[in-house]
Each structure stands twice: as C-alpha cells, then as structure tokens.
Amino acid sequence: MVTLDGVSLNNNLAGGFKIDTTGNTSAAGVKATINNSDISANGGGVAVVVPAGTSNASLMIANSNISNNGAGIIGNGAAVTVRVSDTIITNNGNGVVAAAGASVLTFGNNLLQGNTTNGAFTGAVPQADPQGGGFSRRLRRIVNPPRLLHAWRSQATAMHDAIVSRKQHA
C-alpha cells in the first residue's frame, strides 16, 4: 500500500504518478492513495496500467489537483480501478481516459472541465452505506432538513407576530 498525502509532483517529463503491474503476478495486487496533493505540469498526470495476466491495481484520489499535464488520469486494463473524489482535473490534454476495460469511477463531486478533451468517468462509485456515505453524509450535515425546517418555522412565527402586533397598534 502506497499513500501520498500533501505531495506535489510537478514538472516531470515522463509523468507525475504511475502504477504499472507489468511482471507482477501477486494475488494481493497494488493499492495506492493520493490525497491532498498537486500533480501538475507533467508529461502525464496519473496513470494506472495493468496488462492482462498481471496483478490488479486500485487507486483512490481525493482532495487533489491534477492540471496542466499531457493527460490527467489514465486507467488502462480490465483489472484497473481508480476512484476519484473532490478533485480538480483541468487544463490537461485529456482529462480522464479509461482504456481496455479500466474502471475510472467518480464520487460525483469532482471538477472535470477545461481540458482539451475532458473524457468521462466510466461510472459512479457504489455507495456501501445504504444511508448514503461519504459525500452524501457531509451534504446532509450541511443541508440538514430538520434544522432548516426549524429555521423556517422561527422566521414564519416572527413574521406572524410582527403582523399581529401592527394590527393591534393600528
């Protein structure tokens, strides 16, 4: 397991970050996480390459910036899974590329715009929590319906009281 947290990978000719399982047949596969990082101005941003018959590879990218690269995120191979959350992917030649059956999945909260070719995620990350995990849970904390309803009722009551008071003094 490899974890990059708060890392800047910039101005590399060959590429920013790459997983390539060529020659690796370990059943454990390769797992990595990139969090709160900047990957920019490289020949390629992030690439995960898994040739047929080699180990699988899984990469999680969160809270990061992938910009000004030849390509932003590339997944190549049927045993590739890349999950992306809260990440800016912009000003790359290609934003997102999924080739040869790779899964490049989104949590639905990324910015994928302004690339020469934006590309597209292959799907959404399935939510394991039936109540809505991750981003959904954070959104519910921000937009709390009972709290909003209470605030609305308080405002409505204050307006009603003001109207009644004006009528009594008129």
Side-chain angles (χ1 to χ4, degrees):
M1 175 76 169
V2 174
T3 300
L4 301 178
D5 192 359
V7 174
S8 291
L9 301 171
N10 308 112
N11 300 309
N12 296 291
L13 182 61
F17 180 82
K18 184 176 184 178
I19 297 172
D20 187 341
T21 64
T22 300
N24 184 346
T25 57
S26 166
V30 177
K31 295 175 179 52
T33 301
I34 299 171
N35 184 50
N36 195 33
S37 294
D38 177 58
I39 302 170
S40 59
N42 300 294
V46 175
V48 182
V49 179
V50 176
T54 64
S55 298
N56 66 340
S58 175
L59 173 63
M60 176 68 202
I61 304 169
N63 307 308
S64 295
N65 172 55
I66 302 172
S67 62
N68 300 305
N69 300 291
I73 300 171
I74 298 174
N76 188 344
V80 169
T81 302
V82 179
R83 295 173 185 90
V84 187
S85 176
D86 282 328
T87 294
I88 298 168
I89 307 158
T90 191
N91 293 325
N92 300 290
N94 291 298
V96 173
V97 177
S103 295
V104 182
L105 307 172
T106 178
F107 281 84
N109 56 353
N110 300 293
L111 173 66
L112 174 61
Q113 287 189 340
N115 301 285
T116 303
T117 303
N118 285 324
F121 293 99
T122 58
V125 174
Q127 296 294 320
D129 177 0
Q131 298 300 313
F135 181 70
S136 299
R137 187 174 13 250
R138 284 185 293 169
L139 185 59
R140 277 200 310 275
R141 278 198 310 255
I142 295 167
V143 183
N144 183 332
R147 186 175 60 208
L148 290 176
L149 183 58
H150 175 74
W152 178 80
R153 284 183 181 153
S154 296
Q155 288 178 344
T157 300
M159 288 174 32
H160 175 266
D161 292 347
I163 292 169
V164 169
S165 175
R166 285 185 198 153
K167 286 183 179 178
Q168 289 175 351
H169 293 297

